[in-house]
Amino acid sequence: MPTLVSFTMDLTAHEGVRLAAVLHALDGGWDPADVQAGEAAAHRMLYSQLDPGQRATYRMLAAAGVIPENPGW
């Protein structure tokens, strides 16, 4: 009967190369704070026109941890 051989692979070096390639492709034109501000604005806009029933559902889902708690109302 064949014996199982332990197999491990360290992807740390590969992930470093991948991250360097992504950052190089962005070419310095990426501002994480600006991206976060845009995401927050989009989130506020998405939930700004909810009726009372929809807001109640939102609060229930937020309390359950399904969606973020602060829609920015």
Side-chain angles (χ1 to χ4, degrees), residues 51-64:
D51 64 35
Q54 292 169 325
R55 284 183 184 217
T57 301
Y58 183 96
R59 287 187 184 105
M60 177 189 66
L61 292 171

Side-chain angles (χ1 to χ4, degrees), residues 14 32 47 53 66:
H14 175 72
Y47 295 107
V66 176

Side-chain angles (χ1 to χ4, degrees), residues 5 7-8 13 18 25-26 42 44 47 49 52-53 58 61 65-66 72:
V5 177
F7 178 77
T8 60
R18 184 193 62 79
L26 292 172
R44 282 190 304 276
Y47 295 107
Q49 301 297 318
Y58 183 96
L61 292 171
V66 176

